[in-house]
Structure formats: C-alpha cells, structure tokens
Amino acid sequence: MEFSDHIKTANVEDVVLRQPLHPPSRGTLCITGHHLLFSDREEGSSRQILLLLRNIDAIEKSVENLLGYSGFLSKAAHSDRTPGSSGTITIKCKDLRVLQLDIPGMEQCLNIAHSIETLSCLDNVSEMYPFFYRPNDLSLREQWGLSTPEKHYTQIKELHKKWRLSSVNKTYSVCPSYPPVVIVPNSIDDETLKKVAKFRQGGRFPVLCYYHRKNGMVIMRSSQPLTGANKKRCKEDELLLQVVIEDSDKGFIIDTRSSQQVQQARMTGGGFESKSCYSRWKRLHKQMERGKALQESLIKLVEACGDESHNVDRWLSKLENSKWLSHVQTALSAAGLLVECVERDGHSALVHGYEGTDCTLLICTLAQLIMDPTCRTLEGFLALLDREWLQAGHPFQQRCAHSAYSHARLQQESPIFLLLLDCVWQLWRQFPLALGFSEALLLRLANEVYASDYGTFLCNNDQERCALEVKDRTHCLFQALLRLPERDYYSNPLYEPNELAIWPSVHPQSLQLWRGFFLRWTQQARHLEAVQEEIRSMVIEWHRVTQR
C-alpha cells in the first residue's frame, strides 16, 4: 500500500498551532508519508515546523462549535470563519513535546487524525523514513558504524595471547542476537561454543566485552543458564568460565536479579550458576527493574513533570512515587559494584540477568565509562554504544516503539536506553571535566532512539539489519555526529583527559532530575539552556585566545 492511500486530506489552511514556549500561530498544515509540516502564515513570519510522524506517541481529538470559539485570533479573523464545526488534535510526542492543532472542519480534522494515527505506527521497517532520507552532505558509500568485534580485537593487542575471534555465529544460527563475530577464550573451540549456546537463553553464551589494560581482567556478558528445576549442567559452559579465570583465584558473577527471582526462574527453565559447579565464581545479586516496571516509572515521571499545579509537596510526592531516580541510583550502584570487582579487587566478572539484552548491557556500558578513559571521548563513547548496544543485540525496535504518552501498551517496551543516558548525564554532571561530550549529545541520542532520520536504531539486532540492508540503504547517525560542525557542537569544551576511574556518588542528594530532558519544554529549562550555551561560547573563545 502507498503512503498516499493513508492520506485523505493532505493540506489544510487556517490551522492554529499551539506549542510550548511559543505564542499560538496560524498557518497551513501539510501531511506527507513521514512528516507533518506546519507553515506559519502570519504577516512577517516564515517559520516552519517539520515533525517526523514517527515521533508522535499518541494523539487525542475533539470537536467543538465554531460559534462558541474563543481563541487568540482577532475579530477580523473570526469574521472570516463560517459557522460549523472544527476539531482539535492534541499531539503528544516521544520527545515529550505536546502540540495542539485547531483545524477548521470536522471532516478535515478526522482525516488528518486518521492519517497521523496510521502513518506514525508503521510496522514495516523498510517503509520508515531512514530508507528515504538523503541529505546532500552524506553518502551511502561511507562507512556504517564505528565499532565491530574485529576492530575492537585489533585495537587491544594484549588480548591476542588468550583470546580469539570466532566466526561461529557467521550465519546467526547459534545466536540470533549476536553479531557474526565474537571474542572468546583461545582454548575454547567453536563446537564447544555451540554446546554452551544451547545451555544459555537465546543462545547468548559468554563473550568478552571489555579488557582492563591496568590488570588484565575482563568483563564478559551472557544470558542466564538454562539449568531448570532439574539443575541441569553443561560441562562446556563450566569449562569456558573456568578458562577465563585460570590465572586468578576467583571471578564474580553479577546477576541483575534478586536471589528470589533467580529461584523463580529455575521453575520456568532458567536459572543460575550453582556454587558446586562453578566453585571459583562468586555470585552477587543486584536486582534491577526492567520491562513494564521501568516503562510505568517513566510514565509516572512524565506525568509529574507535566503537573501545572505548582504545588511543591505534590510535585515531590509524584517524583518520588515514579521511582525513576531510584532506578538511576540502582543502575549506577550496580555498575559501581562491577567496577569494584574489576578495577579495585582485580577479578574478572560475568554479567547477566535473564536474556542479557537490557540491564546487562546497561551496567557493562556504565562500568566501561567509569573505568576506561578511551570511552569518555566523543568518538569513544559513540563506539561504546555501537559495540555494547547495537552489536550486542539490544532490541531497539521493541523497546522504543512507544514512549510515555502512548495508550497502546506493549509488553516489549522499556526505556532502558533512556535510563542509560540519564545515568551518563549524572556522571557528566558530577565530573564536568572528565567526559569529552556535552549534554546536547545525550539529548540528541534520546530523541534519535525513538524517532530518527538515520537507520542506526532500526531493528532489534544485527541479523535483522543485514536482512533489511539497513547498513546499505540508510545513513549512520554516529558517523554524522562526528562530522563538522556537529562534532564541535557535541564536544565538551571543558574536557580534560583523565586516566583514573571516575567513581560516581550514588547518594540520594548526589542525584538530580535530568531537567534538560524531562523539563526541556518549560521556560525555566530554556533559560538554563541559554546560559549554558553562553558559558560554552565563553570557554571556546577563552581557549582560542590562550592558544594564540
């Protein structure tokens, strides 16, 4: 079916737009297969607003009588209207904007609303805008992505003695959510890996994600073992983990579930590594919420941020009840525990929960950011996201289908990547000199993961991206962010490289609401943004003068 089949009314004149931080304006509304375009027709104005339909999370519509219409328009404007019905469409976006369109004519309003509802929820990935986006300054022939297991392996020469690249998953038959190539212990052959994969949920056998140059310790990640109620064993799995710590007295398993959840998982076929079979591994539990619980937390937080009652007690109560900052604290605390094991105590670690595609990736990413200075540069951070989220199989398409406003709740939705960005912002705020990128980058990523011109966050894993030729037919966001002038804009002018680990404080008084994201459409946030941009300009100018 063509996009035009979903568009009964393509243009409407005399539409009134109301949006945060701007006075109401009147103009022409156009709808295309991927965008909503509003052109201001007020005298002396040439302002246009282009909204990607994929950015729309929910719409609400109502009908009113024009005879009782009481808007901001002048009497002259009212006199031009003929009696009848008009409609109002409230658009709630995934970037938390709320727009209102007053559309003359009930039929036109309903047609526009139907088109938005249909085109904003297209399920066919190949019909999404990244496959049609063709900017003049980018070419599809350019490199796609910043990191691959091969590149990561090549950059760390110390790995080559005990670790190797394995192509056991080159056809995605061993693990659908892993890349074709993974880093595994040298002494473990591919046949052994296949047996281990059958013992791990979704085939996600333990693979290396980080090598700590300071002491040679590693972080591995996987999914839960399928021990089940009968306490099944897999000697190949036990051997793999034994090989990892052969030169050490012990290793740590960071399980992102509580001990009770672990026991319950056994009853449904999952489980954990028992002490008797993995005697040199010590299991630590750090329960982290995910899925529906995290989604509900985001919904409550956004509702609190939209409360216009100006009642402080009510605001603080809603903020606390959302539990969002508690999730931030738990994530940073879990990452800190992982860093303690590797950096401070000098032991290798394995991280997993259930599938190993959500909380596992979150704390592995944060731990690397805390320990490794190369991950704190602009390019290093984007490469880290590429490696730990895209290559490692985080299901972006499922997790980010909707945000906080949607009325259609799907079980697969979860703002785990947004939680990561919030945790990184907390690090950025506590260590303003240690990270080579700005808050603007985190805000840009928070927008792009839900609705983007680029193909970076499409699909759920590398296998799906290859099947749909995403890397051949769309542009890469990360590459675009590293081009001028974007690179300068998203860089931190105060950045000073620091070889030491940056240990974040997780005390409640040390954590703050990410105002730049959750309150970005308020006047106060815009004032703060203007001040930050002025400070940024002053710092850049100071650097320019001092380097003469």
Side-chain angles (χ1 to χ4, degrees), residues 234-253:
C234 176
K235 293 184 178 180
E236 290 79 9
D237 189 85
E238 295 167 17
L239 173 64
L240 191 157
L241 293 187
Q242 183 66 28
V243 165
V244 172
I245 57 169
E246 61 183 359
D247 296 331
S248 177
D249 59 335
K250 64 179 175 181
F252 287 95
I253 297 173

Side-chain angles (χ1 to χ4, degrees), residues 153-168:
Y153 182 78
T154 302
Q155 290 172 338
I156 307 175
K157 303 295 184 184
E158 299 92 332
L159 278 178
H160 299 183
K161 290 183 179 179
K162 296 182 179 180
W163 298 82
R164 69 181 180 92
L165 288 171
S166 170
S167 301
V168 67

Side-chain angles (χ1 to χ4, degrees), residues 215-233:
N215 57 21
M217 297 299 106
V218 300
I219 296 176
M220 301 186 76
R221 45 175 161 73
S222 70
S223 59
Q224 67 174 340
L226 302 178
T227 55
N230 294 328
K231 299 183 180 180
K232 285 192 300 184
R233 292 181 60 179

Side-chain angles (χ1 to χ4, degrees), residues 445-461:
L445 292 171
N447 288 344
E448 297 283 345
V449 74
Y450 283 102
S452 179
D453 296 341
Y454 300 88
T456 299
F457 296 119
L458 291 180
C459 303
N460 294 305
N461 51 56

Side-chain angles (χ1 to χ4, degrees), residues 106-275:
M106 181 175 66
E107 183 179 355
Q108 293 187 116
C109 175
L110 294 177
N111 285 344
I112 292 292
H114 174 74
S115 297
I116 293 174
E117 286 174 332
T118 304
L119 294 171
S120 64
C121 297
L122 293 175
D123 292 326
N124 190 338
V125 174
S126 297
E127 292 180 350
M128 295 179 184
Y129 186 60
F131 285 91
F132 299 84
Y133 180 56
R134 295 294 180 266
N136 294 329
D137 59 337
L138 293 176
S139 170
L140 289 177
R141 297 178 182 177
E142 295 177 3
Q143 178 185 346
W144 209 96
L146 300 178
S147 181
T148 63
E150 296 95 327
K151 185 176 180 180
H152 187 48
Y153 182 78
T154 302
Q155 290 172 338
I156 307 175
K157 303 295 184 184
E158 299 92 332
L159 278 178
H160 299 183
K161 290 183 179 179
K162 296 182 179 180
W163 298 82
R164 69 181 180 92
L165 288 171
S166 170
S167 301
V168 67
N169 197 45
K170 61 183 177 182
T171 61
Y172 302 103
S173 58
V174 175
C175 178
S177 61
Y178 270 177
V181 177
V182 291
I183 304 175
V184 297
N186 237 334
S187 58
I188 303 297
D189 60 35
D190 287 353
E191 289 304 312
T192 301
L193 292 176
K194 291 177 182 178
K195 294 177 181 178
V196 177
K198 292 179 180 179
F199 183 66
R200 294 276 173 171
Q201 184 166 337
R204 293 177 69 90
F205 56 90
V207 297
L208 180 136
C209 70
Y210 178 66
Y211 177 86
H212 197 40
R213 284 188 169 97
K214 289 182 180 179
N215 57 21
M217 297 299 106
V218 300
I219 296 176
M220 301 186 76
R221 45 175 161 73
S222 70
S223 59
Q224 67 174 340
L226 302 178
T227 55
N230 294 328
K231 299 183 180 180
K232 285 192 300 184
R233 292 181 60 179
C234 176
K235 293 184 178 180
E236 290 79 9
D237 189 85
E238 295 167 17
L239 173 64
L240 191 157
L241 293 187
Q242 183 66 28
V243 165
V244 172
I245 57 169
E246 61 183 359
D247 296 331
S248 177
D249 59 335
K250 64 179 175 181
F252 287 95
I253 297 173
I254 309 294
D255 198 319
T256 61
R257 306 166 293 178
S258 67
S259 54
Q260 182 180 3
Q261 288 174 327
V262 164
Q263 294 293 342
Q264 290 172 346
R266 279 184 52 203
M267 299 301 105
T268 56
F272 57 94
E273 296 84 357
S274 66
K275 183 67 177 175

